[in-house]
Amino acid sequence: MSTPFIVDAHVHTGFMSGFFAEETDAAALVRRMDSLGIALSVNLCNMVSLLRGPAFGMDALEKDFETSSRRIYYCGTFNPLSGGEDLAYLEKVLGRPGFRGIKIHPPWHKVAADNPSYEPVWKFASDNGLVLVSHTWSRSSYNPAQALSLPDLFEGWIKKYPKTRFLMAHAGGRGNGHAQAVRLASEYENVYLDCAGDIYIPGMFVKLKHLIDTGKFLFGSDWTMMDPRAHLTHIMLSDLSGEQKYRLLAGNARTLYRLP
Amino acid sequence: MSSYLDSIEKAVGEKRAALESLAFFDAELWIGRPLEYHAPTSGTFAAEGVAGYMESRGLRGALLSTTEGLLMSPQDGNGDLLEADGLLPDSVFTVWNGLPLFPAEPGLLPLPEKLHKRCRGIRLFPKSQRFPLEDWVLGSLADWMTDIRLPLFLWHVETDFTDLYRFAKRYPSLPVVLESQWQKILYPLRVVYNLLKGCPNILLEMSNLVLPGAVEYFVREFGAERLVFGSFYPMAEPLTAMGLLIDADISREGMRMIAGDNMRRLIGEVRV
């Protein structure tokens, strides 16, 4: 890859408790980005922020942004169980140059996506021009908490906050949630999807060509858990035009996150 | 923009050339209905489509399995593989679904002296088909498979790793292919890597080995001779594993082994 231009719109940093991970910090991420022609990443976000709250992890994210020469942008987090505190902190750090959105994670925070306790973050994202990102997945026999993030559960918020740019991470997963996510992104102007995670669906990028064309589908890897290379060859060899590949790999993320 | 498009065009050319330069042998090609979890996003694939599919993907050979061995019964699944026989290219072999040899059960099962000519492996589903991976249940099957060097295939979600460790130690000459499906094998890797360290007769199939740098790590720790390419098509996109391999920072020789040589060697050793 001669000119690095790719934007990986879905990465994480931090040690993983539940499984072996060899690459975990920003320095390792930058090495991986350099080896694959990835110009920028969006961190969604470090494990400390996800598990303890933004006040515990966002300083490190801003530091990673600076030490990576402003290549690793990031999101804050909102846990509905500590919503007031989290929003007060996010308000304080508004304007930091690397801060681009807010991540919510219904299965990890154990609160269903349609619970009223999420309303403040939908409003906050709308008022402040931040992207709101949520983990989304399908029903899973081995991980029942995934049902808290079924894409259809978000539809009420999507309708109520049409100015909130809402990104469904993992495009609803591999099972029945995927069709829900595709429907919502196709029907609503403010809904976007990324391909992060093990959603290695045969022919997926061609099937979702219409979402690439409308700026709705973004490349993301889910590094530290997934290797960006798992999607890159599939994208490059898909029956898409060069422009469509560029939009999927970089252009759509640059527009959504307002990246340079 | 034009320099980005040039980069894309260059990458496309390089990836095509890398794929064409390797003689891929797919250890995980599946007919039958997709598994429930994968069904909403899977294509359908039948024996009639195997030859055309392999040509379109540049595959030089494959091991064909069927989900019906799990969704219906081992005997029904094996019957489907038998029925497919006349439709398959010579480079395609089959993996039959096995059961303990005792107590004997009716129907089409892989048995000593009755192994189908195209069969090059037996897959067990110990959890779903309700038996432990223990020598007092599977000893006679394991002895026979060891004797003819017939590989044992196991999805990682279908076995208890402690049982598998004991079993592989008990039968050190039995080749075992641990498959990375149907859930990603990322979560149990702390155990799996110790299993591989302790049991040299276990190989790993890579269709869902997606942890960053996993191919390089595997080759460094266990050697390229123990990793085998598989796609899990049509439930997964073949270019996922192909991409992880062609972009891996490993030797050309290692890449050739993983792409197909390891599996060709393994099935070449079967004494049918």
Side-chain angles (χ1 to χ4, degrees):
Chain A
M1 186 75 59
S2 45
T3 312
F5 69 92
I6 296 171
V7 178
D8 188 339
H10 189 145
V11 302
H12 298 283
T13 48
F15 297 116
M16 305 306 297
S17 171
F19 54 87
F20 169 77
E22 202 187 10
E23 300 176 9
T24 57
D25 62 11
L29 174 59
V30 168
R31 284 195 296 276
R32 184 57 69 199
M33 289 164 66
D34 286 344
S35 74
L36 299 174
I38 297 173
L40 304 174
S41 289
V42 183
N43 193 342
L44 301 180
C45 47
N46 56 11
M47 292 299 126
V48 176
S49 292
L50 273 170
L51 297 169
R52 294 191 67 191
F56 296 89
M58 282 188 75
D59 285 347
L61 289 167
E62 184 64 22
K63 192 175 164 204
D64 289 345
F65 173 67
E66 293 298 343
T67 55
S68 67
S69 306
R70 301 195 159 203
R71 292 175 66 193
I72 307 175
Y73 288 81
Y74 61 89
C75 286
T77 49
F78 174 87
N79 180 343
L81 301 175
S82 53
E85 278 169 53
D86 291 355
L87 281 193
Y89 184 83
L90 293 173
E91 184 137 38
K92 210 166 73 178
V93 299
L94 276 173
R96 282 187 179 177
F99 180 28
R100 284 294 190 273
I102 305 168
K103 173 79 180 275
I104 56 177
H105 202 304
W108 280 15
H109 295 145
K110 297 183 174 58
V111 180
D114 58 353
N115 188 290
S117 59
Y118 285 104
E119 177 139 23
V121 77
W122 281 84
K123 186 171 183 321
F124 185 85
S126 177
D127 291 347
N128 294 287
L130 292 165
V131 177
L132 181 63
V133 189
S134 181
H135 173 92
T136 62
W137 206 260
S138 302
R139 285 189 196 283
S140 164
S141 59
Y142 66 99
N143 187 356
Q146 295 284 18
L148 300 173
S149 62
L150 288 171
D152 280 353
L153 296 177
F154 295 93
E155 190 163 5
W157 300 125
I158 293 165
K159 281 184 188 165
K160 190 168 179 183
Y161 291 95
K163 286 188 181 160
T164 299
R165 290 169 294 143
F166 179 55
L167 173 59
M168 295 188 145
H170 313 298
R174 279 294 324 250
N176 50 9
H178 185 70
Q180 295 176 20
V182 171
R183 177 184 70 79
L184 292 166
S186 304
E187 282 182 17
Y188 294 94
E189 207 176 315
N190 57 328
V191 178
Y192 303 77
L193 310 180
D194 76 32
C195 67
D198 61 325
I199 52 165
Y200 307 124
I201 298 169
M204 174 171 68
F205 299 108
V206 171
K207 287 174 191 162
L208 299 186
K209 202 189 292 195
H210 66 291
L211 294 177
I212 296 172
D213 289 337
T214 51
K216 299 297 200 79
F217 199 26
L218 283 63
F219 164 69
S221 66
D222 217 1
W223 190 97
T224 64
M225 288 164 265
M226 314 286 161
D227 197 312
R229 291 172 286 187
H231 276 312
L232 286 176
T233 296
H234 183 194
I235 292 171
M236 287 297 184
L237 298 186
S238 286
D239 188 16
L240 299 170
S241 68
E243 285 84 358
Q244 286 170 323
K245 289 173 190 172
Y246 174 76
R247 279 188 212 118
L248 173 63
L249 288 168
N252 291 346
R254 283 183 190 275
T255 305
L256 177 64
Y257 281 108
R258 297 172 183 160
L259 303 175
Chain B
M1 173 67 125
S2 72
S3 71
Y4 300 147
L5 296 180
D6 290 346
S7 295
I8 289 171
E9 201 175 319
K10 186 169 172 240
V12 169
E14 287 169 356
K15 286 177 185 298
R16 281 213 178 105
L19 288 175
E20 283 164 13
S21 73
L22 292 170
F24 279 98
F25 185 101
D26 190 347
E28 296 283 335
L29 195 55
W30 289 78
I31 56 173
R33 292 167 293 162
L35 303 174
E36 186 186 352
Y37 178 69
H38 294 266
T41 51
S42 286
T44 52
F45 192 54
E48 290 80 1
V50 170
Y53 170 77
M54 290 183 57
E55 198 180 331
S56 72
R57 294 285 182 161
L59 292 172
R60 309 288 179 84
L63 285 177
L64 186 69
S65 302
T66 174
T67 52
E68 299 300 336
L70 183 65
L71 297 173
M72 289 286 288
S73 71
Q75 293 91 331
D76 287 307
N78 296 334
D80 287 353
L81 291 175
L82 193 62
E83 208 171 285
D85 192 61
L87 301 166
L88 303 179
D90 291 345
S91 59
V92 175
F93 300 90
T94 51
V95 180
W96 281 41
N97 189 172
L99 288 173
L101 294 183
F102 180 86
E105 298 186 48
L108 278 172
L109 290 166
L111 300 170
E113 314 304 327
K114 283 191 184 170
L115 188 68
H116 186 259
K117 62 182 189 316
R118 208 186 274 270
C119 179
R120 290 295 183 277
I122 292 178
R123 182 176 288 102
L124 298 177
F125 294 108
K127 285 190 180 171
S128 295
Q129 293 170 350
R130 297 190 175 127
F131 53 85
L133 198 68
E134 294 280 1
D135 63 334
W136 54 274
V137 176
L138 292 164
S140 50
L141 180 70
D143 284 337
W144 166 54
M145 291 174 71
T146 301
D147 191 43
I148 63 169
R149 296 281 301 164
L150 188 62
L152 170 64
F153 288 77
L154 282 169
W155 290 357
H156 77 94
V157 293
E158 280 286 335
T159 183
D160 174 275
F161 292 116
T162 304
D163 289 353
L164 177 55
Y165 179 84
R166 213 164 30 222
F167 195 73
K169 285 286 192 195
R170 174 75 178 78
Y171 299 98
S173 300
L174 173 66
V176 178
V177 179
L178 184 63
E179 300 164 285
S180 60
Q181 298 288 353
W182 57 268
Q183 299 161 17
K184 55 187 172 288
I185 201 165
L186 166 66
Y187 298 121
L189 275 183
R190 285 177 181 140
V191 181
V192 168
Y193 283 165
N194 276 290
L195 180 75
L196 289 158
K197 189 178 170 197
C199 305
N201 53 328
I202 299 181
L203 291 82
L204 186 67
E205 175 279 319
M206 64 171 285
S207 58
N208 213 342
L209 181 68
V210 292
L211 186 78
V215 172
E216 290 90 344
Y217 182 91
F218 189 100
V219 170
R220 196 166 70 235
E221 291 294 325
F222 310 112
E225 65 277 9
R226 292 176 65 193
L227 191 60
V228 297
F229 165 74
S231 71
F232 208 53
Y233 184 82
M235 289 168 281
E237 166 59 47
L239 287 172
T240 299
M242 285 175 163
L244 286 168
L245 182 59
I246 62 169
D247 287 342
D249 186 15
I250 60 172
S251 72
R252 182 79 195 145
E253 177 58 17
M255 229 176 255
R256 275 197 291 263
M257 291 162 80
I258 297 166
D261 287 356
N262 291 339
M263 190 47 78
R264 276 186 284 268
R265 173 181 48 78
L266 206 63
I267 63 172
E269 289 170 1
V270 178
R271 292 192 281 267
V272 281

